[in-house]
Amino acid sequence: MCEFCLKHGEGSKWYLKAENYSEDLLSDVRRRRMIEDFFTASEDIRKQVGRLEQLQEAPRFVKGIARRLVTRRMKRDHYGQVVPIEDVERIFEFVNSIVRVACICRHVTLGAEKRYCYGVSLGPNGGRMARILSGLDTSFLNGPEAGGLESLGKEEALAAFRDHEREGLCHTVWTFRTPFIGGLCNCDRSDCLAMRATVTHGIAVMFRAEYVAAVDPEKCNGCRQCMRVCQFGAIAYSAANRIAAIDPRRCFGCGICRSVCTGDAIRLKDRRAVPAAAGLW
Ligand code: SF4
Ligand code: SF4
Protein backbone atom coordinates (compact mmCIF):
# COMPACT_ATOMS: atom_id res chain seq x y z
CA MET A 1 0.00 0.00 0.00
CA CYS A 2 1.29 3.46 -0.83
CA GLU A 3 1.45 6.30 1.68
CA PHE A 4 -1.94 7.67 0.52
CA CYS A 5 -3.65 4.29 1.05
CA LEU A 6 -2.51 4.42 4.67
CA LYS A 7 -3.39 8.10 5.15
CA HIS A 8 -6.50 8.47 3.00
CA GLY A 9 -7.73 4.95 2.31
CA GLU A 10 -7.84 3.30 5.76
CA GLY A 11 -5.43 0.67 4.44
CA SER A 12 -7.29 0.07 1.15
CA LYS A 13 -6.73 1.71 -2.21
CA TRP A 14 -7.28 5.40 -1.51
CA TYR A 15 -8.52 6.16 -5.03
CA LEU A 16 -11.35 3.63 -4.62
CA LYS A 17 -12.76 5.46 -1.57
CA ALA A 18 -15.80 7.45 -2.66
CA GLU A 19 -15.20 9.96 0.21
CA ASN A 20 -12.10 11.20 -1.60
CA TYR A 21 -14.27 12.39 -4.51
CA SER A 22 -16.92 13.98 -2.27
CA GLU A 23 -18.64 17.33 -2.54
CA ASP A 24 -17.75 17.93 1.13
CA LEU A 25 -14.08 18.25 0.22
CA LEU A 26 -15.02 20.66 -2.56
CA SER A 27 -16.67 23.01 -0.09
CA ASP A 28 -13.13 24.20 0.71
CA VAL A 29 -12.79 27.54 -1.13
CA ARG A 30 -8.99 27.23 -1.46
CA ARG A 31 -9.42 23.90 -3.18
CA ARG A 32 -11.93 25.26 -5.68
CA ARG A 33 -9.64 28.17 -6.44
CA MET A 34 -6.70 25.82 -6.91
CA ILE A 35 -8.69 23.76 -9.45
CA GLU A 36 -9.70 26.88 -11.37
CA ASP A 37 -6.12 28.15 -11.39
CA PHE A 38 -4.75 24.76 -12.44
CA PHE A 39 -6.84 24.52 -15.59
CA THR A 40 -6.00 28.04 -16.69
CA ALA A 41 -2.31 28.03 -15.75
CA SER A 42 -0.57 27.11 -18.99
CA GLU A 43 1.96 29.96 -18.54
CA ASP A 44 2.90 28.72 -15.04
CA ILE A 45 3.31 25.21 -16.37
CA ARG A 46 5.51 26.50 -19.18
CA LYS A 47 7.76 28.13 -16.56
CA GLN A 48 7.87 24.91 -14.55
CA VAL A 49 9.13 23.03 -17.62
CA GLY A 50 11.95 25.57 -17.92
CA ARG A 51 12.84 25.16 -14.23
CA LEU A 52 12.80 21.38 -14.57
CA GLU A 53 15.31 21.54 -17.42
CA GLN A 54 17.51 24.05 -15.53
CA LEU A 55 17.55 21.82 -12.46
CA GLN A 56 19.40 19.15 -14.45
CA GLU A 57 22.40 21.47 -14.60
CA ALA A 58 22.38 22.16 -10.83
CA PRO A 59 24.85 20.60 -8.35
CA ARG A 60 23.77 17.26 -6.90
CA PHE A 61 22.94 18.52 -3.41
CA VAL A 62 20.75 21.29 -4.89
CA LYS A 63 18.91 18.69 -6.96
CA GLY A 64 18.36 16.57 -3.86
CA ILE A 65 16.88 19.46 -1.88
CA ALA A 66 14.72 20.62 -4.80
CA ARG A 67 13.38 17.10 -5.37
CA ARG A 68 12.32 16.71 -1.75
CA LEU A 69 10.66 20.15 -1.65
CA VAL A 70 8.76 19.66 -4.90
CA THR A 71 7.55 16.20 -3.90
CA ARG A 72 6.38 17.44 -0.50
CA ARG A 73 4.43 20.32 -2.06
CA MET A 74 2.93 18.14 -4.77
CA LYS A 75 1.80 15.54 -2.21
CA ARG A 76 -0.16 18.32 -0.56
CA ASP A 77 -1.56 19.90 -3.75
CA HIS A 78 -1.58 17.70 -6.82
CA TYR A 79 -0.20 14.18 -6.64
CA GLY A 80 -0.97 11.21 -8.85
CA GLN A 81 -0.82 7.46 -9.03
CA VAL A 82 -0.66 5.04 -11.92
CA VAL A 83 -3.84 2.93 -12.16
CA PRO A 84 -4.50 -0.05 -14.42
CA ILE A 85 -7.66 -0.17 -16.53
CA GLU A 86 -9.54 -2.47 -14.11
CA ASP A 87 -9.23 0.16 -11.37
CA VAL A 88 -10.30 2.93 -13.76
CA GLU A 89 -13.40 0.80 -14.37
CA ARG A 90 -14.02 0.53 -10.62
CA ILE A 91 -13.74 4.32 -10.24
CA PHE A 92 -16.25 4.80 -13.06
CA GLU A 93 -18.68 2.50 -11.23
CA PHE A 94 -19.20 4.98 -8.38
CA VAL A 95 -18.62 8.50 -9.80
CA ASN A 96 -21.74 10.04 -11.33
CA SER A 97 -20.23 12.47 -13.82
CA ILE A 98 -17.30 12.16 -16.24
CA VAL A 99 -16.25 15.11 -18.40
CA ARG A 100 -13.42 15.20 -20.92
CA VAL A 101 -11.15 18.22 -21.33
CA ALA A 102 -8.03 19.10 -23.30
CA CYS A 103 -4.84 18.14 -21.42
CA ILE A 104 -2.99 21.21 -20.16
CA CYS A 105 0.39 19.38 -20.31
CA ARG A 106 0.00 18.57 -23.98
CA HIS A 107 -1.13 22.12 -24.63
CA VAL A 108 2.20 23.32 -23.20
CA THR A 109 4.55 20.63 -24.52
CA LEU A 110 3.00 19.94 -27.93
CA GLY A 111 1.10 23.15 -28.56
CA ALA A 112 -1.79 20.83 -29.44
CA GLU A 113 -5.14 20.13 -27.84
CA LYS A 114 -5.31 16.48 -26.86
CA ARG A 115 -8.42 15.41 -24.99
CA TYR A 116 -6.73 13.00 -22.59
CA CYS A 117 -7.93 14.44 -19.24
CA TYR A 118 -11.16 13.48 -17.49
CA GLY A 119 -12.77 15.33 -14.61
CA VAL A 120 -14.77 13.03 -12.34
CA SER A 121 -17.46 14.01 -9.84
CA LEU A 122 -19.56 12.45 -7.17
CA GLY A 123 -22.55 14.52 -6.11
CA PRO A 124 -26.05 15.67 -7.00
CA ASN A 125 -26.77 17.17 -10.43
CA GLY A 126 -23.56 15.87 -12.01
CA GLY A 127 -21.34 16.98 -9.12
CA ARG A 128 -19.63 20.25 -8.38
CA MET A 129 -16.32 19.33 -10.11
CA ALA A 130 -18.13 19.24 -13.47
CA ARG A 131 -19.73 22.60 -12.71
CA ILE A 132 -16.36 24.15 -11.79
CA LEU A 133 -14.80 22.92 -15.04
CA SER A 134 -17.73 24.09 -17.15
CA GLY A 135 -17.43 27.58 -15.66
CA LEU A 136 -13.78 28.02 -16.65
CA ASP A 137 -12.56 30.35 -19.33
CA THR A 138 -10.71 27.98 -21.67
CA SER A 139 -9.98 30.61 -24.28
CA PHE A 140 -6.25 30.15 -23.54
CA LEU A 141 -6.54 26.89 -25.42
CA ASN A 142 -6.78 27.04 -29.16
CA GLY A 143 -8.01 24.80 -31.93
CA PRO A 144 -11.39 23.35 -32.72
CA GLU A 145 -11.11 20.50 -30.22
CA ALA A 146 -10.22 22.66 -27.26
CA GLY A 147 -13.27 24.51 -26.08
CA GLY A 148 -15.76 23.41 -23.50
CA LEU A 149 -16.51 20.16 -21.82
CA GLU A 150 -17.69 16.89 -23.21
CA SER A 151 -19.87 14.78 -20.91
CA LEU A 152 -19.40 11.05 -21.29
CA GLY A 153 -21.37 8.06 -20.05
CA LYS A 154 -19.46 5.42 -18.08
CA GLU A 155 -19.27 2.92 -20.95
CA GLU A 156 -18.24 5.64 -23.36
CA ALA A 157 -15.50 6.86 -21.01
CA LEU A 158 -14.21 3.35 -20.45
CA ALA A 159 -14.08 2.75 -24.22
CA ALA A 160 -12.08 5.99 -24.57
CA PHE A 161 -9.64 4.80 -21.90
CA ARG A 162 -9.22 1.50 -23.76
CA ASP A 163 -8.43 3.51 -26.89
CA HIS A 164 -5.84 5.53 -24.95
CA GLU A 165 -4.36 2.26 -23.71
CA ARG A 166 -4.04 1.06 -27.32
CA GLU A 167 -2.14 4.31 -28.00
CA GLY A 168 0.27 3.21 -25.25
CA LEU A 169 -0.83 5.83 -22.71
CA CYS A 170 -0.59 5.17 -19.00
CA HIS A 171 -3.72 5.87 -16.87
CA THR A 172 -3.23 8.02 -13.78
CA VAL A 173 -5.46 9.45 -11.03
CA TRP A 174 -4.91 12.93 -9.54
CA THR A 175 -5.63 14.90 -6.40
CA PHE A 176 -6.50 18.59 -6.28
CA ARG A 177 -5.39 19.46 -2.76
CA THR A 178 -5.04 15.98 -1.39
CA PRO A 179 -7.08 13.91 -0.59
CA PHE A 180 -9.72 15.24 -2.98
CA ILE A 181 -9.57 13.40 -6.31
CA GLY A 182 -10.93 15.35 -9.27
CA GLY A 183 -9.49 13.75 -12.35
CA LEU A 184 -7.84 11.01 -14.33
CA CYS A 185 -5.36 11.46 -17.14
CA ASN A 186 -3.60 9.41 -19.80
CA CYS A 187 0.12 10.06 -19.71
CA ASP A 188 3.21 9.46 -21.73
CA ARG A 189 6.82 10.13 -20.99
CA SER A 190 7.58 12.55 -23.78
CA ASP A 191 4.66 14.97 -23.40
CA CYS A 192 3.36 14.62 -19.85
CA LEU A 193 5.13 16.78 -17.29
CA ALA A 194 4.31 14.51 -14.35
CA MET A 195 5.86 11.49 -16.07
CA ARG A 196 8.83 13.52 -17.24
CA ALA A 197 9.43 14.84 -13.72
CA THR A 198 9.01 11.43 -12.06
CA VAL A 199 10.68 9.11 -14.53
CA THR A 200 13.16 11.25 -16.44
CA HIS A 201 14.21 13.75 -13.74
CA GLY A 202 13.70 11.68 -10.57
CA ILE A 203 11.33 14.25 -9.00
CA ALA A 204 8.44 12.13 -7.76
CA VAL A 205 5.02 13.67 -8.41
CA MET A 206 3.14 10.40 -8.70
CA PHE A 207 3.20 6.94 -7.13
CA ARG A 208 3.67 3.72 -9.00
CA ALA A 209 0.57 1.53 -9.19
CA GLU A 210 -0.43 -0.83 -6.41
CA TYR A 211 0.57 -3.58 -8.84
CA VAL A 212 3.59 -5.05 -10.60
CA ALA A 213 3.53 -6.96 -13.89
CA ALA A 214 5.09 -10.37 -14.45
CA VAL A 215 5.56 -12.56 -17.54
CA ASP A 216 4.60 -16.22 -17.52
CA PRO A 217 7.61 -17.79 -19.32
CA GLU A 218 5.48 -20.77 -20.35
CA LYS A 219 3.16 -18.53 -22.35
CA CYS A 220 5.63 -15.95 -23.71
CA ASN A 221 6.32 -16.41 -27.45
CA GLY A 222 9.09 -13.81 -27.61
CA CYS A 223 7.23 -11.36 -29.88
CA ARG A 224 8.60 -8.34 -27.90
CA GLN A 225 5.46 -6.23 -28.37
CA CYS A 226 5.52 -5.54 -24.63
CA MET A 227 8.97 -3.91 -24.88
CA ARG A 228 7.72 -1.54 -27.55
CA VAL A 229 5.08 0.01 -25.27
CA CYS A 230 6.68 0.01 -21.81
CA GLN A 231 7.47 3.64 -21.01
CA PHE A 232 9.52 2.74 -17.96
CA GLY A 233 12.20 0.54 -19.54
CA ALA A 234 11.13 -2.34 -17.31
CA ILE A 235 11.20 -5.16 -19.85
CA ALA A 236 14.23 -7.08 -21.09
CA TYR A 237 14.45 -9.81 -23.70
CA SER A 238 16.54 -12.93 -23.37
CA ALA A 239 17.80 -13.96 -26.80
CA ALA A 240 19.01 -17.25 -25.36
CA ASN A 241 15.59 -18.21 -23.94
CA ARG A 242 13.52 -16.19 -26.45
CA ILE A 243 11.29 -14.76 -23.77
CA ALA A 244 10.69 -11.37 -22.17
CA ALA A 245 11.11 -10.69 -18.47
CA ILE A 246 9.94 -7.74 -16.35
CA ASP A 247 12.18 -6.10 -13.76
CA PRO A 248 9.83 -5.54 -10.78
CA ARG A 249 12.07 -2.74 -9.49
CA ARG A 250 11.42 -0.71 -12.63
CA CYS A 251 7.81 -1.67 -13.31
CA PHE A 252 5.19 1.02 -12.55
CA GLY A 253 2.32 -1.48 -12.82
CA CYS A 254 0.40 0.35 -15.55
CA GLY A 255 -0.59 -2.85 -17.38
CA ILE A 256 -0.05 -1.35 -20.83
CA CYS A 257 2.27 -4.24 -21.81
CA ARG A 258 -0.52 -6.68 -20.90
CA SER A 259 -2.90 -5.09 -23.40
CA VAL A 260 -0.54 -5.72 -26.35
CA CYS A 261 0.76 -9.14 -25.29
CA THR A 262 0.18 -11.62 -28.12
CA GLY A 263 0.61 -14.64 -25.84
CA ASP A 264 -1.69 -13.56 -22.99
CA ALA A 265 1.43 -14.04 -20.88
CA ILE A 266 1.39 -10.91 -18.67
CA ARG A 267 -0.46 -10.57 -15.36
CA LEU A 268 -0.53 -7.83 -12.75
CA LYS A 269 0.27 -8.92 -9.21
CA ASP A 270 -0.37 -7.10 -5.97
CA ARG A 271 2.78 -5.04 -5.33
CA ARG A 272 2.83 -6.19 -1.69
CA ALA A 273 3.26 -9.79 -2.85
CA VAL A 274 6.44 -9.02 -4.79
CA PRO A 275 9.28 -8.50 -2.27
CA ALA A 276 11.60 -6.74 -4.74
CA ALA A 277 8.93 -4.10 -5.47
CA ALA A 278 6.84 -3.95 -2.30
CA GLY A 279 8.54 -0.87 -0.87
CA LEU A 280 9.10 0.97 -4.15
CA TRP A 281 6.75 3.85 -4.93
S1 SF4 B 1 6.37 -3.66 -17.47
FE1 SF4 B 1 4.25 -3.39 -18.16
S2 SF4 B 1 3.13 -2.86 -16.31
FE2 SF4 B 1 5.31 -2.57 -15.86
S3 SF4 B 1 5.67 -0.41 -16.31
FE3 SF4 B 1 6.18 -1.54 -18.18
S4 SF4 B 1 4.28 -1.50 -19.38
FE4 SF4 B 1 3.72 -0.91 -17.28
S1 SF4 C 1 4.23 -9.34 -25.57
FE1 SF4 C 1 3.77 -11.16 -24.36
S2 SF4 C 1 4.33 -12.86 -25.68
FE2 SF4 C 1 5.29 -11.04 -26.58
S3 SF4 C 1 7.38 -10.99 -25.64
FE3 SF4 C 1 6.04 -9.74 -24.32
S4 SF4 C 1 5.34 -11.19 -22.75
FE4 SF4 C 1 6.14 -12.43 -24.43
Side-chain angles (χ1 to χ4, degrees):
M1 295 273 113
C2 72
E3 183 187 320
F4 280 11
C5 291
L6 300 174
K7 281 188 187 160
H8 310 299
E10 295 162 10
S12 302
K13 294 186 183 84
W14 65 286
Y15 54 80
L16 296 180
K17 289 270 173 202
E19 304 91 279
N20 292 332
Y21 299 76
S22 74
E23 298 273 281
D24 275 359
L25 291 170
L26 266 182
S27 50
D28 180 330
V29 176
R30 284 171 311 167
R31 177 170 284 127
R32 292 205 302 273
R33 194 163 299 138
M34 183 233 159
I35 293 168
E36 287 163 5
D37 290 347
F38 178 85
F39 281 98
T40 53
S42 54
E43 254 333 293
D44 287 353
I45 292 177
R46 213 180 299 279
K47 283 182 195 152
Q48 282 172 27
V49 178
R51 282 190 217 116
L52 207 58
E53 306 301 339
Q54 277 170 6
L55 188 60
Q56 296 321 299
E57 310 301 321
R60 209 160 152 187
F61 78 96
V62 174
K63 276 191 215 169
I65 295 169
R67 281 178 180 144
R68 279 194 294 280
L69 289 176
V70 172
T71 297
R72 195 191 309 160
R73 182 169 54 79
M74 294 296 281
K75 279 185 178 168
R76 186 196 63 196
D77 290 342
H78 185 55
Y79 212 73
Q81 184 164 25
V82 173
V83 281
I85 191 77
E86 53 268 49
D87 283 358
V88 172
E89 189 170 0
R90 290 166 79 187
I91 293 168
F92 286 168
E93 278 167 15
F94 63 80
V95 297
N96 68 353
S97 161
I98 306 166
V99 290
R100 180 158 54 184
V101 288
C103 171
I104 192 96
C105 274
R106 273 53 173 249
H107 172 69
V108 170
T109 56
L110 295 175
E113 315 312 335
K114 298 282 183 184
R115 297 180 81 83
Y116 289 142
C117 290
Y118 295 73
V120 289
S121 292
L122 182 64
N125 307 319
R128 200 186 285 175
M129 184 69 186
R131 293 197 291 283
I132 291 172
L133 293 176
S134 63
L136 294 181
D137 172 13
T138 53
S139 57
F140 65 97
L141 296 167
N142 46 50
E145 290 289 300
L149 288 185
E150 221 183 323
S151 281
L152 301 180
K154 297 182 187 202
E155 287 306 317
E156 203 181 356
L158 196 56
F161 269 70
R162 291 196 195 286
D163 284 345
H164 298 323
E165 185 150 326
R166 278 189 280 276
E167 287 179 70
L169 302 179
C170 168
H171 317 305
T172 49
V173 62
W174 290 93
T175 67
F176 290 87
R177 279 189 87 90
T178 309
F180 174 72
I181 298 169
L184 290 105
C185 203
N186 291 279
C187 303
D188 68 74
R189 195 164 161 175
S190 56
D191 309 325
C192 169
L193 297 177
M195 284 230 337
R196 249 200 232 178
T198 303
V199 184
T200 309
H201 299 301
I203 303 170
V205 300
M206 60 188 212
F207 295 119
R208 300 175 184 214
E210 301 290 327
Y211 306 88
V212 178
V215 174
D216 179 345
E218 299 296 320
K219 289 185 169 180
C220 177
N221 59 32
C223 72
R224 294 187 252 184
Q225 289 300 311
C226 51
M227 295 176 73
R228 187 178 55 79
V229 296
C230 179
Q231 301 200 46
F232 304 93
I235 309 180
Y237 177 72
S238 162
N241 298 321
R242 296 190 179 172
I243 53 171
I246 293 172
D247 180 349
R249 291 162 304 176
R250 286 176 162 246
C251 176
F252 271 57
C254 64
I256 303 303
C257 53
R258 178 183 56 178
S259 65
V260 298
C261 178
T262 58
D264 190 27
I266 299 178
R267 294 282 176 273
L268 290 185
K269 295 180 172 179
D270 189 320
R271 182 171 287 273
R272 289 172 300 183
V274 181
L280 295 177
W281 297 106

